[in-house]
Amino acid sequence: MSTTLNFYAGPAILPAPAIERAKADMPDWAGTGMSVLEISHRSAQYDAVHHEAMDLLKALLGLDDDHLVLFIQGGASLQFAMVPMNFIPPGGSADYVVTGSWSQKALKEAKIVASARAAATGEPGGFTRIPGPGEYELDPAAAYLHVTSNNTIKGTQFHDFPDSGQVPLVADMSSDFLWRPFDANRFHLIYAGAQKNVGPSGVTIVIVRKSWLEKANGKLPTMLRYSTFADNESLYNTPPTFAIYMVRNVLEWVRDEGGLAAMEARNRQKGGLLYGTIEAHPAFYRCPVDPASRSFMNVVFRLPSEELEAKFVAEAKAQGMVGLKGHRSVGGCRASIYNAMPLAGVQALCAFMEEFARRNG
Ligand SMILES: *Cc1c(COP(=O)(O)O)cnc(C)c1O
């Protein structure tokens, strides 16, 4: 067993049992004489995995009969375009809460295909906090209100979702999907690239209301219509079979660990520990994020100088703690502590941070 502690933002750490299971299914899966990578997406073996992944998601989230689970390729970045293409009607407009670069990108894509506007923005404060309810200018006729539940780069997170009234609520949950229990049925559409918190890259999970699909734009190319995926159980063309297989393994691990409530308990413990360590050394570590908007998935922090930050990242790496460099657009340090990061991993990071501050403070 390697002792690497993986703090990368994505693709990111996966639960050890999910990897072990894939190892056991290679090269001979369930007596087929073939690995899971080589088998037809029309085979009974793959079909079972595909539907298991869907059913596990429905059960973990308690989805009602009006909510469908879809598997789509193209990443969250394709969803930035598919959502407005499908759901902004001719002459209509959509509202976006802009809380960082991913939501800026989502809004930009919407403006390419239709009309869209920022209903709230955290830009004046450098995206260091999530706008509060009083800061929204909602268009009651908007096709939908789009939020980014967790801002992977800036380290902020919605702890309460906005009340959009009659306007359908849409969320990019790529970097915190399944971090805690939440009312998924409240949303008209949720999308999440798997490679942050639920699997490898290659598949994006989309949860959408069936009744909303009936109002979607039908004049789009086949692969850009959600209805194509809905009508064919995401088997219209070849799905990313191995990515979905891995998502199934991860979801089963989530269930076996005790479900979303267990994920939340552990995530709060890990986040509390890490933010506590930062706050215990105010002259050395500093978190630029407003305490009420801090992310439990991506913890960003600064050191007294860029030189010390580079030294911190390099020394941590030498001790097996990788991926601690902040996003290239913002610098600093970032520890991504997704569901699969064990408490012991965060404890090891905190111990290193204590020691590094003592030596360099
Ligand atoms: C990583 C990320 C994306 C981009 O995902 P791709 O799968 O690379 O397209 C979008 N939104 C959020 C919140 C992300 O963290």
Side-chain angles (χ1 to χ4, degrees):
M1 270 300 276
S2 112
T3 52
T4 299
L5 283 174
N6 178 358
F7 294 99
Y8 277 114
I13 185 171
L14 290 167
I19 299 279
E20 284 304 314
R21 190 168 181 187
K23 200 171 144 193
D25 286 345
M26 217 115 37
D28 181 2
W29 185 24
T32 59
M34 294 169 279
S35 77
V36 52
L37 287 162
E38 300 165 290
I39 207 159
S40 168
H41 62 293
R42 306 290 175 199
S43 66
Q45 289 88 349
Y46 176 72
D47 197 69
V49 164
H50 190 87
H51 288 96
E52 256 174 65
M54 285 180 174
D55 291 345
L56 280 161
L57 272 169
K58 283 184 204 163
L60 285 168
L61 292 168
L63 293 182
D64 62 27
D65 290 341
D66 196 23
H67 281 80
L68 290 172
V69 175
L70 313 177
F71 298 129
I72 303 180
Q73 301 191 51
S77 298
L78 181 62
Q79 295 308 304
F80 295 166
M82 272 181 80
V83 169
M85 288 171 101
N86 280 265
F87 293 115
I88 304 181
S93 171
D95 273 358
Y96 281 71
V97 184
V98 181
T99 48
S101 53
W102 294 120
S103 39
Q104 281 176 318
K105 283 186 175 160
L107 174 57
K108 192 172 154 214
E109 290 295 301
K111 284 179 172 170
I112 292 173
V113 299
S115 167
R117 59 194 271 279
T121 177
E123 195 165 10
F127 296 123
T128 53
R129 64 178 189 87
I130 300 292
E135 296 166 74
Y136 285 70
E137 253 184 71
L138 295 176
D139 169 6
Y144 56 82
L145 176 68
H146 179 284
V147 298
T148 308
S149 60
N150 182 75
N151 299 282
T152 328
I153 297 173
K154 287 288 180 178
T156 62
Q157 188 172 33
F158 276 87
H159 292 290
D160 297 296
F161 291 110
D163 178 4
S164 60
Q166 293 303 305
V167 173
L169 192 56
V170 171
D172 173 1
M173 295 196 179
S174 292
S175 53
D176 69 352
F177 187 55
L178 307 187
W179 86 279
R180 65 165 175 180
F182 72 103
D183 183 7
N185 293 318
R186 230 186 106 183
F187 292 81
H188 274 60
L189 189 143
I190 292 167
Y191 59 93
Q195 74 273 21
K196 309 293 176 29
N197 210 21
V198 280
S201 59
V203 64
T204 305
I205 293 162
V206 176
I207 292 166
V208 63
R209 262 194 213 187
K210 251 190 268 180
S211 48
W212 204 32
L213 284 182
E214 286 156 21
K215 297 185 191 136
N217 181 0
K219 292 203 184 70
L220 291 171
T222 309
M223 288 301 286
L224 295 175
R225 293 198 302 268
Y226 288 110
S227 58
T228 300
F229 293 84
D231 295 346
N232 296 281
E233 298 189 304
S234 301
L235 284 159
Y236 172 79
N237 75 327
T238 315
T241 52
F242 186 66
I244 294 168
Y245 161 89
M246 283 303 300
V247 166
R248 189 280 311 260
N249 289 3
V250 172
L251 294 174
E252 217 156 71
W253 172 82
V254 171
R255 184 198 62 193
D256 293 347
E257 288 290 295
L260 302 187
M263 293 297 121
E264 177 173 24
R266 191 190 298 155
N267 287 329
R268 287 200 182 276
Q269 203 181 353
K270 292 184 300 186
L273 196 62
L274 191 41
Y275 285 115
T277 300
I278 293 167
E279 281 170 1
H281 302 274
F284 197 77
Y285 297 112
R286 184 173 58 83
C287 174
V289 178
D290 181 71
S293 301
R294 285 180 181 170
S295 169
F296 281 84
M297 298 280 99
N298 311 99
V299 177
V300 299
F301 53 97
R302 305 295 314 227
L303 273 67
S305 69
E306 285 183 21
E307 290 69 34
L308 278 171
E309 286 168 351
K311 191 174 176 214
F312 176 87
V313 170
E315 285 188 19
K317 191 173 172 194
Q319 296 198 21
M321 292 178 244
V322 303
L324 290 165
K325 198 169 171 348
H327 190 269
R328 60 186 188 279
S329 64
V330 293
C333 298
R334 170 176 59 179
S336 296
I337 50 171
Y338 298 116
N339 285 354
M341 171 59 67
L343 176 63
V346 175
Q347 285 168 333
L349 174 62
C350 290
F352 170 72
M353 288 172 71
E354 298 273 358
E355 187 257 334
F356 190 86
R358 248 193 324 273
R359 262 193 297 118
N360 297 280

